[in-house]
Amino acid sequence: MPLDDILARIRRAEQDAGRAGGSVTLIAVSKVQPLPRVEAVLEQGQRVFGENYVQEAAGKWPALRERFGKVELHMIGPLQTNKAKVAVDLFDAIHTLDRPSLAEKLARLADTRGTCPELFVQVNTGEEPQKAGVLPADTDAFIATCRSLGLPLAGLMCIPPEGEDSAPHFAMLSGIAARNGLAGLSMGMSADFEVAIAHGATHVRVGSAIFGARDYG
Ligand SMILES: *Cc1c(COP(=O)(O)O)cnc(C)c1O
């Protein structure tokens, strides 16, 4: 679906939810997509992108930033602690902060660099064993840990279980954010971004609806 159609659907969902126009940021998720598709979306003016793999992003974005100017990059995949340094050099935001060892590493990097990407704590709202993220019951304590380390928390992120209604998961994430005084809500993908906006999403992560299906070959 063309970028303009996705943007129009986002603006309509903002309006339907009684929210200000432009209060939702579209993150175009370009992981694994062929370069020409990414270039086409850059040419249409999109400047906020999401990637899942540090190595793939590091191989792709420095050259694209040279050509297209300022691009805001969001890390939305699991982040290994030993890749944290490369990640903070490349990304403007990290949506997958999910454990104390990573929080401590990011805090050390922030101290030496004097800056830190915007951080979202990933919450495993479906309590799925194979999925990353802090369990809902542990989230308040983890947020407190991050704050005691001086980390700049922007908000929370979740990926609801596949094949389930996303709405209760979005509502849960919104509730945890509200009671912790966090404004950012990274939730909603191609199949459910309008539902996420109705529940207060500030960042929607949309891949295949913009770029077409991913071919993992
Ligand atoms: C791949 C991915 C997306 C985009 O998914 P689509 O269904 O293609 O929109 C969003 N968020 C995360 C965390 C992802 O890994």
Side-chain angles (χ1 to χ4, degrees):
M1 181 175 278
L3 178 69
D4 281 349
D5 293 346
I6 300 292
L7 287 169
R9 283 171 61 186
I10 289 172
R11 299 289 95 94
R12 198 172 327 121
E14 286 171 339
Q15 212 167 31
D16 290 347
R19 300 181 51 190
S23 55
V24 177
T25 299
L26 170 63
I27 302 173
V29 177
S30 49
K31 63 169 178 231
V32 197
Q33 295 289 353
L35 200 55
R37 291 192 194 168
V38 181
E39 291 166 334
V41 169
L42 279 159
E43 269 151 21
Q44 291 164 58
Q46 176 69 18
R47 287 296 179 273
V48 184
F49 288 81
E51 290 283 348
N52 285 59
Y53 312 102
V54 173
Q55 229 143 327
E56 182 191 350
K60 182 157 82 182
W61 283 102
L64 289 170
R65 279 172 160 163
E66 288 269 311
R67 283 172 56 199
F68 290 92
K70 196 173 144 39
V71 173
E72 193 178 300
L73 275 189
H74 292 247
M75 173 60 177
I76 63 169
L79 181 56
Q80 293 171 253
T81 308
N82 64 8
K83 299 221 172 95
K85 186 171 185 314
V86 182
V88 299
D89 284 339
L90 186 64
F91 290 99
D92 302 289
I94 294 171
H95 292 235
T96 48
L97 173 53
D98 65 351
R99 58 194 189 279
S101 60
L102 181 58
E104 285 157 16
K105 176 77 179 195
L106 291 170
R108 279 198 299 278
L109 288 166
D111 278 345
T112 49
R113 299 156 50 85
T115 63
C116 186
E118 278 202 330
L119 299 175
F120 292 77
V121 170
Q122 182 175 355
V123 183
N124 187 353
T125 57
E127 307 194 24
E128 297 172 278
Q130 83 286 5
K131 200 166 265 176
V134 183
L135 291 173
D138 300 336
T139 304
D140 293 355
F142 183 64
I143 290 168
T145 299
C146 292
R147 285 179 165 153
S148 72
L149 289 166
L151 288 174
L153 291 188
L156 304 180
M157 176 271 219
C158 76
I159 310 169
E162 275 204 49
E164 256 184 49
D165 180 11
S166 300
H169 297 274
F170 296 155
M172 181 196 293
L173 199 72
S174 164
I176 299 172
R179 72 168 182 253
N180 283 284
L182 289 169
L185 284 171
S186 167
M187 56 191 199
M189 312 190 350
S190 290
D192 55 14
F193 66 87
E194 283 138 324
V195 180
I197 291 170
H199 284 85
T202 58
H203 294 72
V204 293
R205 311 178 307 266
V206 181
S208 44
I210 297 173
F211 295 102
R214 284 179 292 275
D215 179 5
Y216 285 95

